[in-house]
Amino acid sequence: MKQIEQAYEGYKVINGLNKRFKEELGLPVLDVMILNEVAKHNDWVVKTDIDDKLGVLRSTSAKSIKQMRKNKQILKDRHIDNENIALLSMNNEMRENAKELFKKADAIYEDFMNPPKQEVSDEKQNDGQPNDVQKEHNKHQNQNSQEHNHKKHQK
């Protein structure tokens, strides 16, 4: 169960990050990861290879890819010799837009994992209650502290 608990902590972090990505980028983490995988290739890449690398169901990525095609973030085609094989790529404009998106995603990740310290005056403005950033930071810090204490007691 200890390993499952540790894995679950990672799941909670991804869920929190997913919420921030949706709020600030308009995309979930999965879509950003799919775009990242496609952007790594200068040519077409097989969709199922990306599914396997990201560990997602084909139907899950299909929904994301359909929306990204509508948003003109990704191109999709079929293999000429085997129509069952879906291929993904980006044109130059899509790659440039993706690069900007990745910069924003990196900044959101850094802020999420290392939130800025809030001044005490912010807390006082909320009738002594921590604001949302402080709550998220405190939650993350408590999780790290619990993991550290748990590992310490295991020895």
Side-chain angles (χ1 to χ4, degrees):
M1 280 305 294
K2 293 173 189 166
Q3 291 172 330
I4 294 170
E5 289 172 352
Q6 288 175 339
Y8 191 76
E9 290 303 317
Y11 173 77
K12 290 191 305 189
V13 169
I14 289 296
N15 276 344
L17 190 59
N18 199 47
K19 180 180 176 188
R20 289 279 302 273
F21 272 30
K22 286 179 181 178
E23 290 170 355
E24 298 182 37
L25 298 175
L27 296 170
V29 171
L30 176 60
D31 290 13
V32 175
M33 295 303 297
I34 291 171
L35 289 171
N36 182 55
E37 288 303 315
V38 173
K40 288 179 183 178
H41 297 84
N42 290 328
D43 205 358
W44 295 88
V45 61
V46 177
K47 178 191 168 297
T48 54
D49 291 348
I50 292 175
D51 295 338
D52 292 342
K53 180 162 185 178
L54 297 177
V56 297
L57 298 172
R58 280 134 179 77
S59 60
T60 302
S61 68
K63 292 175 189 175
S64 291
I65 289 166
K66 183 177 183 177
Q67 186 59 49
M68 288 187 284
R69 286 180 62 214
K70 286 181 181 179
N71 295 342
K72 300 190 183 323
Q73 295 172 302
I74 203 166
L75 300 170
K76 181 181 173 187
D77 201 357
R78 296 282 175 182
H79 193 282
I80 196 163
D81 294 328
N82 185 345
E83 291 285 320
N84 292 325
I85 299 174
L87 303 169
L88 305 173
S89 189
M90 293 178 172
N91 62 29
N92 290 338
E93 182 181 351
M94 291 172 178
R95 286 184 195 288
E96 289 303 314
N97 291 339
K99 285 180 186 176
E100 291 302 313
L101 177 78
F102 300 151
K103 288 178 187 175
K104 291 176 185 175
D106 284 340
I108 292 167
Y109 175 82
E110 287 300 320
D111 183 62
F112 180 78
M113 296 305 287
N114 306 299
K117 301 238 187 250
Q118 297 291 321
E119 293 184 27
V120 178
S121 60
D122 285 351
E123 194 169 309
K124 288 180 182 176
Q125 290 175 357
N126 294 327
D127 297 325
Q129 298 299 314
N131 62 30
D132 291 341
V133 172
Q134 290 167 325
K135 287 178 187 175
E136 190 66 35
H137 178 69
N138 291 342
K139 185 170 117 183
H140 185 68
Q141 291 299 102
N142 287 340
Q143 290 169 354
N144 288 342
S145 177
Q146 288 172 353
E147 286 178 22
H148 176 73
N149 288 337
H150 183 70
K151 288 178 185 175
K152 188 176 165 183
H153 290 298
Q154 284 178 328
K155 293 181 181 180

